[in-house]
Amino acid sequence: EVMPWQQWRADYATQVGQRGRYQLPDGTALQLNTDSAVDHDFNAEHRLITLNRGEILVACGADPNSSARRPLLVQSRHGLFEGVNGRFVVRQYQDHTRVSVLEGQSIIRSPAASPINVAAGQHYQVSSQQAVRLPTLNMDAGAWAEGLIVTRDMRLKDFLTEVGSYRHGYLGCADDIADLRLSGVFRLEDTDKLLTVLTQTLPVRLRYHTRWWVTLQRQA
């Protein structure tokens, strides 16, 4: 659980349903997804971003301080990642961190015994013990930065988990429709409208028990 003071103390933070764009002192562009928080520490030796919770997209280039090469590092609970040149996403879960490279290249510095180069289009799941290459994801890793969820044959239950991270309260579905599949582009600015779109594309109906308790059920 994140206590309020932890959000106040973070250098950059977003609340549930918010996304943020920031520019760091070296020109690196940093985007925060919903309910995320980071700190940054730039000095003569390094450029360090610490992901306290949530998900970030980093767009980085060469160090503008050419006299001393300072690597751009992202530290999560489970590993250390270096941005070489390009755009990459780091998402921290409870028991692992996922890194996805959108453009350019990144390097997994730890916990791997030796550095792992991650090329554009590749994804790795990193725990405190190992880094494992993932197959193609069923969701575009960086689409949220444009206010979108882009899915490819994604389970309805998993999709609702994603949408639920942008809302307060409970969002779920009945077990008999959990495995229905979704492919498409969905806009995040209004999640109630997004849920209504589901009823037009899948055999489901919405049930609002309260404003903050929403379930999907099979159409009668």
Side-chain angles (χ1 to χ4, degrees), residues 1-76:
E1 184 178 357
V2 178
M3 303 305 291
W5 61 266
Q6 291 177 291
Q7 177 152 312
W8 297 335
R9 289 181 54 183
D11 289 337
Y12 304 107
T14 55
Q15 297 179 355
V16 172
Q18 288 184 324
R19 288 172 287 112
R21 293 173 179 257
Y22 309 95
Q23 186 165 350
L24 300 184
D26 67 334
T28 293
L30 175 67
Q31 293 180 251
L32 272 64
N33 202 352
T34 175
D35 194 23
S36 301
V38 302
D39 292 312
H40 75 281
D41 175 24
F42 285 27
N43 59 31
E45 286 79 38
H46 65 234
R47 298 172 289 160
L48 177 65
I49 300 168
T50 300
L51 178 58
N52 298 318
R53 72 172 189 277
E55 182 173 23
I56 57 174
L57 190 158
V58 181
C60 63
D63 186 354
N65 182 4
S66 57
S67 61
R69 182 188 176 277
R70 301 174 301 167
L72 178 72
L73 303 171
V74 174
Q75 177 78 61
S76 81

Side-chain angles (χ1 to χ4, degrees), residues 145-165:
E146 305 300 327
L148 304 171
I149 294 180
V150 180
T151 65
R152 306 175 193 87
D153 198 37
M154 189 176 193
R155 291 177 70 233
L156 176 60
K157 184 175 182 179
D158 297 335
F159 178 78
L160 294 178
T161 297
E162 290 296 327
V163 176
S165 68

Side-chain angles (χ1 to χ4, degrees), residues 160-185:
L160 294 178
T161 297
E162 290 296 327
V163 176
S165 68
Y166 295 89
R167 299 168 57 92
H168 290 284
Y170 174 79
L171 174 63
C173 65
D175 291 342
D176 64 344
I177 59 172
D179 290 328
L180 291 177
R181 299 286 171 161
L182 270 174
S183 297
V185 179

Side-chain angles (χ1 to χ4, degrees), residues 51-53 75-79 92-95 97 128:
L51 178 58
N52 298 318
R53 72 172 189 277
Q75 177 78 61
S76 81
R77 191 183 303 127
H78 310 100
Q92 184 167 269
Y93 296 85
Q94 191 65 32
D95 58 353
T97 295
S128 54

Side-chain angles (χ1 to χ4, degrees), residues 17 19 139 143-144 146-151 154-167 171-172 182-202 204-206 208 211 214 216:
R19 288 172 287 112
M139 188 179 73
W144 59 265
E146 305 300 327
L148 304 171
I149 294 180
V150 180
T151 65
M154 189 176 193
R155 291 177 70 233
L156 176 60
K157 184 175 182 179
D158 297 335
F159 178 78
L160 294 178
T161 297
E162 290 296 327
V163 176
S165 68
Y166 295 89
R167 299 168 57 92
L171 174 63
L182 270 174
S183 297
V185 179
F186 303 89
R187 298 193 173 277
L188 284 168
E189 70 263 14
D190 185 339
T191 55
D192 286 304
K193 186 175 180 180
L194 185 159
L195 294 174
T196 300
V197 170
L198 292 184
T199 66
Q200 300 163 6
T201 57
L202 292 175
V204 300
R205 63 185 179 92
L206 281 170
Y208 281 82
R211 174 71 181 83
V214 184
L216 275 73

